[in-house]
């Protein structure tokens, strides 16, 4: 797969709340990403909430055979910049069913537990996703914003295909988790790979920063997000000669 994906979190309103103001531009961004060969689109039901999954369907459906759509569930929204995890099995099942409907999919290729809920046993949260995978509604299970001990605990219950943690050249706090994923051959999907735009202030900085990420490990699959066609093209170019993961 193309080693640079597209993270859709920015296709929302202020505070990642409600819809992106310009639907036409958002659709253009998604379609151009696919035209550039990007075949990994990352989203979550909490973005909006729900609005980005609908946007992806409207912009890209029917999907190409090689397009991987990853989404997440288990995070509730109370307003702009407000988030709270809910990991009850019945809620996670509802999240998956509604994401399938919004995205118009029969199966979600990669589904992340958006955040581990400390109020619910991990085996219940992961177990719900295992049941949904066994039903054919999920292809692979991922974890988001987790520690090594949490990854290990989840792997005792089921194979984990991907881990999505913050990581970039300005913030390497998850270096140990990256090394763990490299050794375990788990895809490591760094969110905020350009530090929320802080690393794109000079010409070529985005490409250099993304290539630095790609060179850290063959399992790294960054998902830079942008609402700029120019930046999208620049981000996609960073994967030249580094396209095989």
């Amino acid at each position: 797969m193309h080693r640079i994906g597209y993270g859709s979190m920015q296709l929302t309103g202020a505070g990642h709340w409600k819809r992106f103001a310009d639907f036409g531009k958002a659709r253009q961004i998604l379609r151009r990403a696919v035209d550039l060969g990007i075949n990994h689109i990352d989203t979550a039901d909490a973005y909006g909430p729900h609005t980005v999954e609908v946007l992806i369907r409207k912009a890209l459906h029917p999907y190409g055979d090689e397009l991987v759509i990853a989404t997440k569930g288990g995070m509730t929204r109370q307003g702009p910049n407000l988030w709270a995890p809910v990991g009850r099995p019945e809620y996670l099942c509802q999240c998956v069913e509604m994401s399938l409907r919004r995205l118009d999919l029969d199966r979600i290729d990669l589904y992340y537990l958006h955040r581990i809920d400390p109020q619910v046993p991990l085996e219940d949260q992961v177990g719900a996703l295992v049941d949904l995978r066994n039903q054919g509604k999920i292809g692979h299970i991922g974890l988001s914003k987790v520690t090594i001990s949490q990854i290990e605990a989840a792997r005792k219950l089921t194979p984990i295909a991907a881990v999505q943690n913050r990581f970039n050249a300005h913030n390497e706090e998850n270096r140990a988790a990256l090394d763990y994923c490299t050794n375990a051959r788990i895809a490591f999907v760094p969110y905020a790979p350009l530090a929320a735009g802080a690393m794109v202030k000079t010409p070529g900085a985005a490409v250099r920063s993304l290539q630095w990420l790609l060179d850290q490990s063959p399992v790294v699959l960054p998902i830079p997000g942008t609402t700029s066609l120019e930046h999208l093209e620049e981000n996609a170019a960073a994967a030249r000669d580094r396209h095989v993961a």
Side-chain angles (χ1 to χ4, degrees):
M1 67 189 300
H2 199 289
R3 288 194 64 194
I4 298 291
Y6 178 77
S8 65
M9 189 175 183
Q10 292 188 35
L11 298 180
T12 53
H16 308 298
W17 186 250
K18 299 187 177 180
R19 297 192 307 172
F20 187 67
D22 189 338
F23 173 78
K25 182 178 181 181
R27 180 171 58 184
Q28 185 181 21
I29 288 282
L30 288 165
R31 289 181 174 176
R32 184 57 181 154
V34 173
D35 288 343
L36 290 168
I38 292 173
N39 60 358
H40 173 200
I41 306 293
D42 181 85
T43 190
D45 66 359
Y47 298 168
H50 310 152
T51 60
V52 179
E53 289 184 331
V54 173
L55 171 62
I56 289 170
R57 184 194 75 232
K58 290 182 175 180
L60 300 178
H61 194 275
Y63 308 114
D65 291 340
E66 295 184 354
L67 183 63
V68 173
I69 296 179
T71 191
K72 313 175 196 69
M75 186 74 80
T76 61
R77 300 296 307 278
Q78 296 74 41
N81 292 319
L82 296 175
W83 314 71
V86 174
R88 295 191 303 272
E90 64 273 17
Y91 180 70
L92 293 175
C93 290
Q94 176 184 320
C95 289
V96 170
E97 294 289 355
M98 295 306 296
S99 287
L100 286 167
R101 182 180 301 181
R102 284 188 291 267
L103 290 164
D104 195 2
L105 287 169
D106 295 322
R107 186 188 80 155
I108 296 167
D109 296 313
L110 172 59
Y111 193 86
Y112 291 91
L113 181 60
H114 201 161
R115 201 74 81 245
I116 292 176
D117 184 348
Q119 304 302 317
V120 179
L122 179 63
E123 56 266 29
D124 291 349
Q125 299 176 69
V126 174
L129 300 185
V130 171
D131 289 343
L132 289 158
R133 187 191 60 206
N134 292 342
Q135 295 170 34
K137 296 177 180 180
I138 292 174
H140 301 280
I141 296 172
L143 302 172
S144 177
K145 202 171 182 180
V146 286
T147 64
I148 292 175
S149 61
Q150 289 171 328
I151 301 170
E152 290 179 330
R155 291 183 72 204
K156 292 178 181 178
L157 304 169
T158 189
I160 297 299
V163 166
Q164 189 169 138
N165 278 1
R166 182 188 298 273
F167 190 80
N168 56 59
H170 288 180
N171 186 336
E172 297 186 47
E173 64 177 298
N174 284 301
R175 168 69 67 179
L178 168 58
D179 292 343
Y180 178 91
C181 289
T182 300
N183 292 331
R185 302 300 297 171
I186 296 171
F188 186 85
V189 182
Y191 70 84
L194 298 174
M199 301 167 68
V200 296
K201 295 181 178 179
T202 58
V207 170
R208 291 191 297 272
S209 297
L210 290 172
Q211 289 182 338
W212 177 86
L213 274 174
L214 296 176
D215 290 343
Q216 299 307 300
S217 168
V219 304
V220 170
L221 301 173
I223 48 169
T226 183
T227 58
S228 162
L229 285 169
E230 180 183 356
H231 289 163
L232 177 66
E233 304 249 359
E234 187 177 9
N235 293 344
R240 290 174 186 160
D241 302 322
R242 293 170 168 86
H243 61 282
V244 177

